[in-house]
Amino acid sequence: MFYIYCPHCGEHREEEEFHAKGQAHLARPLDPDNCTDHEWGEYLYMRKNPRGLHHELWIHATGCRKFFNMTRDTVSYEIKEVYKVGERPTVVAAS
Amino acid sequence: MSQKNRLASGGRVDRAKALNFSYNGRQYPGFEGDTVASALLANGVDIVGRSFKYSRPRGIIAAGAEEPNAVLQVGATEATQVPNVRATQQSLFNGLVCSATNGWPNADLDLMGYVGKVGGRMMPPGFYYKTFMYPPSLWETYEKFIRKAAGLGRSSTERDPDMYDKVNHHCDLMIVGAGPAGLAAALVAARSGARVILADEQSEFGGSLLDTRETLNGRPAAEWVATVVEELKQHPEVLLLPRSTVNGYHDHNFLTIHERCTDHLGDKAPAGQVRQRMHRVRANQVVLATGAHERPLVFGNNDVPGCMQAAGVSTYINRYAVVPGKELVLMTTNDHAYQTALDWHDAGRKVVAIVDTRQNPKGDRIDAAKSRGLNIIAGSGVIEVQGSKRVTGVSIAPLNAAGDALAGAVERLGCDTVASSGGWSPVIHLSCHTGSRPEWRDDVIGFVPGKTVQKQHCAGGINGTYSLKAVLEEGARAGAAACEAAGFSDAAKGISLPLAEEVREGKAMALYHIPHTKPTSRAPKQFVDYQNDVTAAGIELATREGFESIEHVKRYTAMGFGTDQGKLGNINGMAVAAKSLNQTIPQTGTTIFRPNYTPVTFGAVAGRDCGALFDVNRFSAMHKWHLANGALFEDVGQWKRPWYFPQGGETMQQALDRECKATRESVGILDASTLGKIDIQGKDAREFLARVYTNAWAKLPVGKCRYGLMCGEDGMVFDDGVTSCLADNHFLMTTTTGGAPRVLEWLELYHQTEWPELEVYFSSVTDHWATMTISGPNARKLLGELTDIDLDRDTFKFMDLRQGDVAGVPARVFRISFTGELSYEINVQANYGLHVWEKLFEHGAKFNLTPYGTESMHVLRAEKGFIIAGQDTDGSVTPIDLGMSWCVSNAKPFSYIGKRGMAREDCVRTDRKHLVGLKTREPKTVIPEGAQAVNDPKQPIPMTMLGHVTSSYYSANLGHSVAMGFVRNGHNRMGETVFYPLADGRVIEAEICNPVFLDPKGERQNV
Amino acid sequence: MQHYSGFGLLKHALNFHENWQRVWRNPTPKKKYDVIIVGGGGHGLATAYYLAKEHGITNVAVIEKGYLGGGNTARNTTIVRSNYLWDEAAHLYEHAMKLWEGLSQDLNYNVMFSQRGVLNLGHTLQDMRDIERRVNANRLNGIDGEVLDAKSVQEIVPIMDCSGNTRYPVMGASWQPRAGVARHDAVAWGFARAADALGVDLIQQTEVIDMVIEDGAITGVNTNRHGVISADRVGCVVAGNSSVLAGMAGFSLPLESHPLQALVSEPIKPILDTVVMSNHVHGYISQSDKGDLVIGAGIDGYNGYGQRGSYPTIEHTVAAIIELFPMFSRVRMNRQWGGIVDTCPDACPIISDTPVENLFFNCGWGTGGFKATPGSGNVFAATLAKGEAHPLAKPFSMFRFHNGSLIDEHGAAGVAH
């Protein structure tokens, strides 16, 4: 069970208060109507799903109800950092 | 009855407290402080079970968690039966009832044993994969026999009378194991002021110090233990948990502790007490001081009762004052095990020989044995044991220096006990639970914890550190380091460790499997994993057949799959496999340790979260009234919603007919409180609604309500509801009962991640309001008696909302309708709900005000063709599929959620499955919901299905059935016929029609 | 291939089991194969077997980074059933079911397929509507199934609490008598042994570290131990690593890899003769031939390749089991573990060609791949042999996520498998 620091509450809380919501930084296309089916399918479904460092969206569901981003290792489960929506991660995978 | 193996003095049992227990139907005495195992051995009970594959008699081998054989059925009553209790870990209590689990008619005289002897050779590893295949029809019969033979104890067949509990902790240090290392760490930590939890699986703290004859400060080690425990008890921030096994170590330093609170007191917990408790611990730092388990050696017939682990024998002698035999042969690869011979000898029993596999053993303990005149046979091994129900003797033979071949003639010795030691295996299980791989160390001859990302410190036996002095020092160091890391510095200052004896030891030999005169495949069975009857020959066979990965060996032979999870056998098994594959043990690798360290009661894992507390019950403010008025309830999400209100001896259909007719003819009332309600405010609230709903919201005036559909980005409907404009920047959204949390999260998701520039705020107000809908031609008259709101049909119109008083309390009244009748949805503060509801009934009697539940609501709305999201949708239908294009506004400037999804190639097909009305050819026939439509019911199977019936009822108001369902291309097939072939052989014929069966022009709601 | 039988066993017993042949070779890989299958789990091995047996393509290598059958094949709860809702899925799983029914004899390896029946419980009116819908569809698709009320469920599982006094009472169930369980390891080993006997090279402890792609077409794979191995076609069947391999080939998949946890009790005497699954209370249970109660939990919500999940998931599952079987409260949980499941947005697999020519993927089975093992291998083998999707595989193209023709099995697949 993860021990998660909520950047909005400023506290560590148990994972049971949070829900993972999948890949972070998935921007909705600004002009959906001009997307091709392919582009829309990529946005809707295609995911990075990395083995290793992963930027993902979480919500403090039974806490402040706010979303935030987390950089986490999907193998060791270490949380490298949490940051608010709109911010950029400082820990990124070497590409 | 005497306890023939009990010494007159010594040990930690309380001879003043005599206890009686029953094993296999016979009564035996024991003492307070005994385990079931020590009491059985004290009474000279040799056989504690039969092995499951070969039905061989088995005796107690060890004294702790690693015991593979003594797993007993415990329980005096049916309801308190516990299968597979390890006798070495069960404290004795007066009246304890236990029995061996395998053996027919009993473990002592087991007729299956003959089958095992004869048939055993037919059962190499994996034999079941190679046979029982022909003829195929007989497999089920074979399987019955296999299943019967397998399994150990049996489950109770009654409800558990006991209660379980959970408690959450946060601590600075979690120390696992209260042996010398753990106690030293705890002492350091306690004095630093850190919050400490110290847990140990045994009934008292001390670990190896409880059965050692080594001294501390020149006094018995147990005295130091008592002093330390006394001090720890004085520290307010220290929690001491004996009888508590840390069974799992999870990510981010989360650990679970299984505390057995009352299992030492009786079968059933004393009244009002909790039987077992799970501690859920979030630890800043963890100190693992879990010690080590001694490995017995692998040799011929090493499972005959009387063959034991050397350390276990010492524990029985020193801690329980039980000498489990008369004449001992000890076989060892190391100095430490000599202690067992010394203990045996000093207890006044005969040591026949110490058989040391090393050519030239040297060390203090060897000198001590020599000084007692004990017979040391160096450079030799016990190759085979004689006896069946008890050891009667051994065959020994000289070994070569490497220990892999015999180097001389076989000699026989008489004895009744064989203790063996192949060295120690660190208890690294917990350190592996979070994915850390252990590392092999040749100097330790064992695996030690590997690299980990957890905040973990290890001390003592787990590191392969075995001298008492070094263990204490490591413990104190680990405690100090953990304190430092947790922010308690200078912890180690002022700690003086007790003075331990220095024992000089020679080098141990890395030997696991004693060779025999015959090849392993032909030698008497050499057991590696006792519980699963895995032999060295079996492991060699597995590798010969190509199962070369240690995981394959494990899975093919079942090694390590028992309730002991291979604590004794795994390293030996890896060694046998490695030798067979010409590899080293680290090359062969280790299997993965998983929670639990030792088994954990399901009841304890569930705690109180079962029965009525399995999930939250949500009730509306009027729930008491519903109960008093005979409602039956439907589970919708966590809510208990009235389903229908039968009166007298009514059947369900009769009740529904009455409820539906009363509503259409006069007035009915529904408790609609469970619908999700989300309060939406902010200057951009309207814009936000326009983006998340499929229809238009820009022009909804204040005081007006509008129905909306919500889709995912894929264009599929996922919720619906009515949203009302309370003020230009204030809306109230309603959602389906089950969908409320998901919708709120959905809104927040889009607001927080996509459109943070919109000024809008969401609050769930579902529980704040009690909602009751009165519906029917007399609704206005009824409400008129109770409200100051002007109900005039031309000023308070359909889809309007008004605020005012109802029954003397402030209310919001929405003129919206899910029945197609004149309806008012009255919302009052939840605390007033029951009051208003009762007032409505006071005034409603003259109108025959009739309560109706969800089922009548479903019928009434189906008569009108209104959908229920979740019943008439399933995540694969667009608004267009539902025939609700009127609720889609593609003229909106913003590309609302769902718009692009709906436009995908597959979604714009005109022959998708469409929701249509269905009129049965035989009007009274109700098509079962879930029935599948076909064009030709006589076509061969598999048939081409067109879609299923989503909603179907008998309508008392219309006098015929009404149904909605999906039909492929249905919107273009109005008036055509489809067929519903049912499981009972009937075929129902139905005509595709408009789903609005009643009042298609919507006049009734506009009266 | 050495034939296995009771008589053979007796003969070998007389020779102290010293003369059993290897179940498979340990070959050095060739430079080039007709087909390389990446992933030596149940699905990959089945693919290799059917390629050789049904399509005569024996110049095949299976490349496995660990040991055969060591991924989800080794970690699942072994439930086999075919009662899926949508035609596309139902036909695929029923194809697998028919292969299961003769598999032990076909492979000459007892996979211990035990058709003891599976109950999918319903606890709400909507559950029951969904069950009716699914069973009706199953029957018209030629798949056995019945809708049972609570009383009939109680007759099949007398030890379950069907009293109506539980938080979510059992209202009924769907019942597929032909469904059941199988011995998971034996499935991988049986396919491996049979494939090996037909000439397939099983290359263990060898990891694919890159794809060799020229002009948009794959020509081989690069491995950590044997360098580049060439092939005309490559099929990836690597549950738990599909996205990683797709990444090597330069495209994304609509997958998320989640931990899926399971647990077993200590072995106890036979007490539960069928498989009981409940999506609503999130638990499913059967008893293995060894006596363990085999219990499956739901997936953890986060992406994870760690083969372990979070403890509350276990707690919730155990609570669900006690809710259904209060008598198991004093039985003890022996071991828990986790697998990595690649979940697809529509809870259906991908069996597909890809943007790279001659590269095919078979993935996304989510929590329910084991039951499909022979069917998945069978249609994937046909797909690899012909270079185009087998008719049963066609609807499972990865390109359905672009045109929107998803097959949403969430209702039937749910959490429980």
Side-chain angles (χ1 to χ4, degrees):
Chain A
M1 181 161 65
F2 300 165
Y3 198 39
I4 299 171
Y5 184 83
C6 173
H8 302 288
C9 297
E11 275 186 30
H12 275 96
R13 308 294 290 188
E14 298 294 333
E15 183 192 322
E16 289 159 302
E17 294 187 10
F18 301 84
H19 291 150
K21 304 305 292 181
Q23 186 175 323
H25 308 300
L26 277 174
R28 187 174 197 259
L30 289 173
D31 188 1
D33 297 353
N34 279 320
C35 287
T36 62
D37 274 6
H38 185 272
E39 285 163 348
W40 194 247
E42 293 284 316
Y43 161 65
L44 262 185
Y45 300 119
M46 298 301 161
R47 297 294 177 262
K48 287 181 183 157
N49 194 24
R51 187 185 185 95
L53 274 195
H54 183 39
H55 307 291
E56 60 190 358
L57 187 66
W58 285 72
I59 180 173
H60 195 179
T62 60
C64 63
R65 235 172 61 202
K66 287 221 168 93
F67 287 83
F68 60 93
N69 296 316
M70 176 189 292
T71 305
R72 187 173 59 87
D73 187 310
T74 57
V75 180
S76 74
Y77 295 175
E78 282 171 286
I79 296 172
K80 303 292 187 183
E81 67 174 330
V82 293
Y83 53 101
K84 292 178 182 168
V85 171
E87 295 175 353
R88 302 303 303 175
T90 62
V91 183
V92 292
S95 54
Chain B
M1 207 172 113
S2 72
Q3 301 178 40
K4 67 176 189 179
N5 285 333
R6 184 84 71 179
L7 298 172
S9 63
R12 301 182 64 78
V13 290
D14 186 348
R15 288 174 178 74
K17 290 188 182 149
L19 306 172
N20 280 298
F21 71 105
S22 145
Y23 169 68
N24 282 353
R26 283 183 63 185
Q27 293 294 318
Y28 294 96
F31 294 128
E32 176 105 10
D34 263 327
T35 61
V36 172
S38 68
L40 285 170
L41 288 172
N43 287 288
V45 173
D46 292 333
I47 299 175
V48 292
R50 288 275 171 168
S51 74
F52 95 105
K53 196 154 136 188
Y54 303 127
S55 263
R56 290 167 69 108
R58 290 282 162 81
I60 294 166
I61 292 184
E66 68 272 41
E67 170 62 32
N69 289 338
V71 285
L72 305 179
Q73 185 77 22
V74 173
T77 65
E78 182 58 32
T80 55
Q81 291 296 315
V82 183
N84 309 341
V85 174
R86 202 169 279 110
T88 52
Q89 294 191 293
Q90 172 64 52
S91 295
L92 194 66
F93 57 80
N94 206 32
L96 182 143
V97 177
C98 61
S99 56
T101 54
N102 271 332
W104 182 84
N106 59 55
D108 221 14
L109 168 76
D110 179 18
L111 299 178
M112 285 304 287
Y114 295 102
V115 178
K117 264 181 199 159
V118 179
R121 243 211 241 173
M122 286 284 286
M123 296 189 276
F127 73 97
Y128 29 80
Y129 305 134
K130 295 173 176 166
T131 180
F132 303 134
M133 282 177 279
Y134 308 99
S137 58
L138 277 186
W139 163 242
E140 283 188 25
T141 313
Y142 296 135
E143 192 188 27
K144 276 201 187 87
F145 282 100
I146 294 172
R147 286 189 65 195
K148 244 187 172 158
L152 294 168
R154 64 179 189 86
S155 165
S156 152
T157 55
E158 292 179 6
R159 196 172 279 269
D160 191 340
D162 282 322
M163 205 162 50
Y164 302 85
D165 216 347
K166 295 180 196 177
V167 57
N168 293 300
H169 300 278
H170 289 259
C171 65
D172 298 310
L173 265 74
M174 169 78 238
I175 301 173
V176 187
L183 286 173
L187 197 59
V188 170
R191 290 183 187 173
S192 78
R195 178 168 291 181
V196 178
I197 299 175
L198 175 62
D200 193 284
E201 61 181 354
Q202 300 213 53
S203 58
E204 49 180 335
F205 284 174
S208 61
L209 299 179
L210 298 172
D211 51 50
T212 185
R213 291 206 285 156
E214 287 182 54
T215 60
L216 288 173
N217 294 331
R219 304 283 308 157
E223 287 184 14
W224 179 76
V225 174
T227 317
V228 174
V229 172
E230 215 31 63
E231 177 179 337
L232 292 175
K233 280 183 185 164
Q234 304 309 317
H235 289 283
E237 291 295 328
V238 175
L239 176 65
L240 302 179
L241 293 173
R243 294 192 170 86
S244 300
T245 305
V246 179
N247 63 291
Y249 188 165
H250 302 263
D251 288 286
H252 303 180
N253 268 15
F254 179 76
L255 301 95
T256 53
I257 312 176
H258 181 218
E259 181 186 13
R260 277 104 37 212
C261 311
T262 67
D263 283 358
H264 60 296
L265 301 176
D267 243 16
K268 184 176 166 329
Q273 286 189 47
V274 166
R275 179 177 170 230
Q276 298 178 354
R277 181 178 288 118
M278 291 302 294
H279 298 260
R280 305 163 92 247
V281 180
R282 182 70 68 183
N284 188 320
Q285 303 288 317
V286 168
V287 176
L288 296 179
T290 47
H293 290 143
E294 194 176 35
R295 286 190 296 275
L297 289 158
V298 179
F299 50 97
N301 292 330
N302 57 339
D303 66 328
V304 176
C307 288
M308 297 180 72
Q309 172 209 50
V313 171
S314 279
T315 299
Y316 286 114
I317 296 172
N318 296 326
R319 181 162 171 194
Y320 301 103
V322 171
V323 193
K326 294 190 176 67
E327 298 177 324
L328 174 77
V329 167
L330 170 77
M331 168 162 58
T332 181
T333 61
N334 57 77
D335 280 21
H336 187 272
Y338 275 70
Q339 188 62 41
T340 300
L342 302 178
D343 293 340
W344 189 278
H345 175 83
D346 296 348
R349 306 272 171 114
K350 184 178 173 188
V351 175
V352 176
I354 298 171
V355 180
D356 196 321
T357 60
R358 299 170 297 179
Q359 305 292 333
N360 271 313
K362 282 198 188 79
D364 288 350
R365 290 200 181 88
I366 291 136
D367 294 342
K370 283 180 181 161
S371 73
R372 284 167 172 82
L374 302 186
N375 175 23
I376 299 171
I377 305 172
S380 292
V382 172
I383 63 164
E384 179 180 337
V385 164
Q386 284 87 44
S388 62
K389 290 186 181 176
R390 176 81 200 199
V391 173
T392 58
V394 293
S395 298
I396 65 169
L399 300 172
N400 66 358
D404 57 7
L406 300 187
V410 176
E411 190 191 334
R412 291 186 108 164
L413 297 172
C415 65
D416 67 356
T417 306
V418 182
S420 71
S421 170
W424 295 75
S425 300
V427 178
I428 55 173
H429 304 66
L430 291 173
S431 73
C432 301
H433 286 179
T434 52
S436 158
R437 289 282 177 164
E439 286 166 12
W440 177 263
R441 261 175 55 193
D442 279 329
D443 59 330
V444 171
I445 317 177
F447 284 102
V448 296
K451 284 194 188 74
T452 181
V453 298
Q454 308 304 321
K455 293 168 181 168
Q456 167 196 303
H457 312 258
C458 297
I462 187 175
N463 286 337
T465 303
Y466 299 128
S467 98
L468 184 50
K469 180 169 184 287
V471 166
L472 287 164
E473 285 167 2
E474 261 186 29
R477 263 205 309 278
C483 284
E484 178 88 38
F488 296 84
S489 47
D490 299 335
K493 272 186 191 157
I495 298 286
S496 63
L497 291 170
L499 196 62
E501 297 170 50
E502 300 248 20
V503 183
R504 283 176 302 145
E505 286 195 5
K507 195 168 179 299
M509 178 175 177
L511 184 64
Y512 314 88
H513 177 199
I514 308 298
H516 193 270
T517 52
K518 296 176 182 169
T520 303
S521 56
R522 301 185 180 217
K525 288 198 162 54
Q526 302 162 332
F527 285 93
V528 170
D529 179 327
Y530 297 83
Q531 200 177 85
N532 284 316
D533 271 346
V534 179
T535 63
I539 293 170
E540 287 188 3
L541 171 61
T543 57
R544 239 183 359 260
E545 289 194 84
F547 293 96
E548 295 175 351
S549 151
I550 194 64
E551 278 287 349
H552 274 165
V553 171
K554 168 186 148 188
R555 290 164 179 277
Y556 192 59
T557 63
M559 175 179 90
F561 271 102
T563 66
D564 56 326
Q565 293 205 55
K567 292 189 178 70
L568 283 186
N570 270 6
I571 301 290
N572 286 336
M574 288 168 208
V576 172
K579 193 165 79 176
S580 179
L581 293 166
N582 263 323
Q583 293 175 343
T584 63
I585 292 180
Q587 279 169 339
T588 309
T590 178
T591 56
I592 301 166
F593 293 108
R594 301 278 191 184
N596 298 318
Y597 173 66
T598 51
V600 174
T601 310
F602 281 133
V605 176
R608 304 277 175 105
D609 301 329
C610 45
L613 300 181
F614 175 71
D615 198 6
V616 173
N617 281 288
R618 295 178 77 184
F619 304 120
S620 84
M622 287 79 88
H623 188 71
K624 269 189 206 154
W625 190 96
H626 304 324
L627 281 175
N629 286 275
L632 296 180
F633 292 90
E634 178 189 355
D635 284 306
V636 184
Q638 293 169 323
W639 292 95
K640 292 280 182 193
R641 295 198 71 179
W643 187 16
Y644 59 101
F645 292 83
Q647 287 182 359
E650 272 180 340
T651 63
M652 179 170 176
Q653 189 60 50
Q654 287 165 341
L656 301 183
D657 291 353
R658 177 181 48 73
E659 290 173 12
C660 290
K661 287 184 83 122
T663 303
R664 294 235 185 267
E665 286 165 9
S666 181
V667 60
I669 183 165
L670 173 80
D671 181 352
S673 305
T674 64
L675 286 181
K677 293 178 273 295
I678 300 169
D679 187 88
I680 303 176
Q681 300 194 39
K683 71 176 173 60
D684 297 319
R686 189 181 293 275
E687 169 64 18
F688 194 90
L689 290 173
R691 295 183 183 190
V692 297
Y693 273 132
T694 56
N695 48 339
W697 292 84
K699 296 189 181 120
L700 182 71
V702 175
K704 276 284 184 189
C705 314
R706 182 166 290 171
Y707 173 82
L709 270 180
M710 217 175 263
C711 288
E713 291 280 22
D714 59 0
M716 303 300 160
V717 172
F718 90 91
D719 209 274
D720 68 347
V722 169
T723 292
S724 311
C725 184
L726 298 167
D728 203 40
N729 58 358
H730 189 185
F731 293 79
L732 183 73
M733 175 185 280
T734 63
T735 72
T736 59
T737 296
R742 195 179 44 184
V743 171
L744 178 61
E745 191 174 297
W746 179 252
L747 303 179
E748 291 283 10
L749 172 70
Y750 274 85
H751 179 231
Q752 292 181 34
T753 67
E754 289 293 344
W755 311 315
E757 70 279 6
L758 297 187
E759 192 184 320
V760 58
Y761 305 89
F762 312 95
S763 294
S764 168
V765 294
T766 304
D767 298 272
H768 302 197
W769 298 90
T771 305
M772 50 210 91
T773 305
I774 54 173
S775 193
N778 285 320
R780 184 179 288 124
K781 280 189 206 150
L782 171 58
L783 182 58
E785 293 188 12
L786 285 161
T787 186
D788 59 355
I789 300 171
D790 177 6
L791 300 180
D792 182 83
R793 58 169 287 175
D794 295 323
T795 53
F796 187 0
K797 288 191 246 182
F798 181 55
M799 297 309 271
D800 281 355
L801 81 90
R802 293 288 180 271
Q803 311 208 30
D805 278 1
V806 173
V809 303
R812 288 175 182 164
V813 178
F814 303 84
R815 193 177 157 192
I816 55 179
S817 178
F818 200 38
T819 61
E821 297 297 327
L822 170 66
S823 296
Y824 296 96
E825 192 187 284
I826 305 159
N827 285 261
V828 297
Q829 207 187 72
N831 291 341
Y832 296 135
L834 186 58
H835 159 76
V836 176
W837 182 272
E838 285 174 339
K839 279 281 174 214
L840 284 164
F841 272 91
E842 253 173 52
H843 291 258
K846 54 184 166 295
F847 303 112
N848 184 31
L849 177 65
T850 299
Y852 64 92
T854 51
E855 193 67 21
S856 288
M857 173 190 82
H858 284 200
V859 178
L860 293 165
R861 63 87 203 183
E863 290 168 349
K864 285 291 300 172
F866 294 144
I867 65 153
I868 290 188
Q871 177 171 346
D872 301 298
T873 68
D874 63 359
S876 73
V877 296
T878 67
I880 311 302
D881 298 340
L882 293 170
M884 295 173 75
S885 47
W886 53 268
C887 198
V888 172
S889 164
N890 283 342
K892 288 195 281 185
F894 194 87
S895 182
Y896 62 88
I897 298 174
K899 184 182 182 196
R900 180 63 189 88
M902 269 181 252
R904 290 176 298 168
E905 180 188 329
D906 193 69
C907 301
V908 295
R909 281 191 293 118
T910 54
D911 62 344
R912 286 171 62 88
K913 287 180 181 174
H914 298 147
L915 190 72
V916 294
L918 296 159
K919 206 185 307 173
T920 49
R921 190 68 62 196
E922 166 50 56
K924 303 272 181 196
T925 301
V926 179
I927 323 174
E929 286 167 352
Q932 298 278 353
V934 299
N935 281 331
D936 170 12
K938 297 204 171 70
Q939 66 185 301
I941 279 174
M943 294 194 188
T944 302
M945 285 172 264
L946 309 171
H948 72 291
V949 174
T950 57
S951 295
S952 182
Y953 310 92
Y954 177 73
S955 162
N957 284 303
L958 293 165
H960 61 76
S961 68
V962 295
M964 281 190 279
F966 284 95
V967 174
R968 183 170 302 284
N969 198 29
H971 292 159
N972 306 313
R973 292 188 59 189
M974 287 295 153
E976 293 182 30
T977 299
V978 287
F979 298 87
Y980 292 90
L982 303 180
D984 59 13
R986 286 184 298 153
V987 176
I988 297 177
E989 197 179 336
E991 184 193 313
I992 300 170
C993 63
N994 186 308
V996 185
F997 290 89
L998 185 131
D999 183 24
K1001 289 187 182 150
E1003 287 161 348
R1004 298 174 69 96
Q1005 66 204 6
N1006 283 322
V1007 292
Chain C
M1 184 169 79
Q2 189 176 32
H3 186 76
Y4 287 163
S5 68
F7 178 71
L9 190 65
L10 178 65
K11 222 172 60 187
H12 280 283
L14 297 175
N15 290 319
F16 303 91
H17 302 290
E18 286 166 354
N19 301 321
W20 287 105
Q21 286 176 12
R22 287 183 64 95
V23 280
W24 48 70
R25 297 162 294 129
N26 212 352
T28 306
K30 301 179 209 164
K31 286 266 168 279
K32 180 168 186 303
Y33 290 92
D34 293 345
V35 178
I36 284 176
I37 294 161
V38 184
H43 288 231
L45 293 164
T47 305
Y49 170 67
Y50 290 115
L51 262 176
K53 183 192 169 212
E54 296 195 347
H55 305 280
I57 301 174
T58 57
N59 185 27
V60 173
V62 176
I63 300 179
E64 166 55 48
K65 74 170 178 168
Y67 58 97
L68 298 176
N72 290 342
T73 302
R75 288 159 218 286
N76 71 90
T77 49
T78 81
I79 296 171
V80 175
R81 60 185 178 89
S82 63
N83 53 354
Y84 277 67
L85 172 64
W86 298 102
D87 298 345
E88 298 87 344
H91 291 154
L92 180 62
Y93 286 100
E94 179 60 17
H95 179 60
M97 177 65 85
K98 292 211 169 76
L99 291 168
W100 277 112
E101 286 176 324
L103 195 59
S104 292
Q105 290 72 31
D106 186 31
L107 299 177
N108 179 231
Y109 204 85
N110 191 351
V111 300
M112 303 173 89
F113 178 44
S114 170
Q115 291 180 287
R116 51 180 76 172
V118 170
L119 287 164
N120 295 85
L121 303 181
H123 298 263
T124 65
L125 295 173
Q126 186 58 39
D127 279 359
M128 292 312 296
R129 280 190 281 266
D130 290 339
I131 283 171
E132 290 277 357
R133 175 188 182 191
R134 183 162 47 80
V135 169
N136 275 312
N138 291 157
R139 295 176 68 99
L140 298 184
N141 268 325
I143 297 166
D144 59 321
E146 280 177 64
V147 179
L148 303 181
D149 60 14
K151 191 165 157 280
S152 311
V153 172
Q154 185 79 85
E155 278 163 21
I156 293 176
V157 193
I159 62 168
M160 188 158 66
D161 189 346
C162 296
S163 66
N165 299 326
T166 54
R167 174 66 183 84
Y168 292 109
V170 174
M171 298 185 77
S174 73
W175 168 239
Q176 188 183 17
R178 283 160 71 234
V181 293
R183 172 85 183 108
H184 53 349
D185 291 328
V187 175
W189 300 338
F191 274 119
R193 170 171 168 267
D196 173 89
L198 293 171
V200 172
D201 283 354
L202 307 177
I203 319 289
Q204 298 187 68
Q205 308 294 345
T206 300
E207 185 166 1
V208 168
I209 52 172
D210 205 1
M211 306 269 180
V212 185
I213 296 169
E214 294 164 17
D215 297 334
I218 192 157
T219 60
V221 296
N222 194 4
T223 66
N224 63 342
R225 281 181 64 208
H226 300 289
V228 171
I229 308 175
S230 302
D232 294 336
R233 287 191 182 131
V234 174
C236 288
V237 206
V238 288
N241 278 294
S242 307
S243 297
V244 178
L245 262 80
M248 290 176 195
F251 58 92
S252 291
L253 288 169
L255 300 180
E256 296 216 352
S257 300
H258 291 269
L260 176 68
Q261 302 187 75
L263 57 111
V264 289
S265 75
E266 297 184 292
I268 54 175
K269 290 295 175 199
I271 189 161
L272 180 63
D273 298 330
T274 60
V275 182
V276 177
M277 310 173 61
S278 170
N279 280 358
H280 194 87
V281 300
H282 286 273
Y284 52 111
I285 182 166
S286 65
Q287 187 173 22
S288 75
D289 284 348
K290 207 171 146 279
D292 308 353
L293 297 173
V294 182
I295 295 168
I299 67 168
D300 284 276
Y302 48 82
N303 290 24
Y305 289 89
Q307 295 191 327
R308 59 188 193 282
S310 292
Y311 182 69
T313 308
I314 297 287
E315 286 176 307
H316 188 77
T317 301
V318 169
I321 295 305
I322 293 186
E323 181 73 357
L324 295 172
F325 300 93
M327 68 170 61
F328 290 155
S329 171
R330 292 172 93 87
V331 176
R332 296 184 302 180
M333 167 173 141
N334 198 18
R335 197 169 64 248
Q336 67 172 79
W337 66 91
I340 310 165
V341 295
D342 291 342
T343 59
C344 247
D346 59 355
C348 271
I350 291 169
I351 310 173
S352 181
D353 55 344
T354 66
V356 177
E357 201 179 336
N358 293 328
L359 175 63
F360 298 79
F361 264 69
N362 180 350
C363 61
W365 291 89
T367 59
F370 178 72
K371 65 176 71 69
T373 305
S376 159
N378 191 274
V379 301
F380 197 47
T383 302
L384 284 166
K386 303 219 169 78
E388 63 170 282
H390 181 279
L392 287 176
K394 269 206 180 92
F396 299 96
S397 161
M398 68 177 280
F399 302 106
R400 71 180 186 271
F401 296 98
H402 291 130
N403 69 20
S405 56
L406 277 62
I407 308 155
D408 197 331
E409 277 288 348
H410 278 108
V415 57
H417 279 271

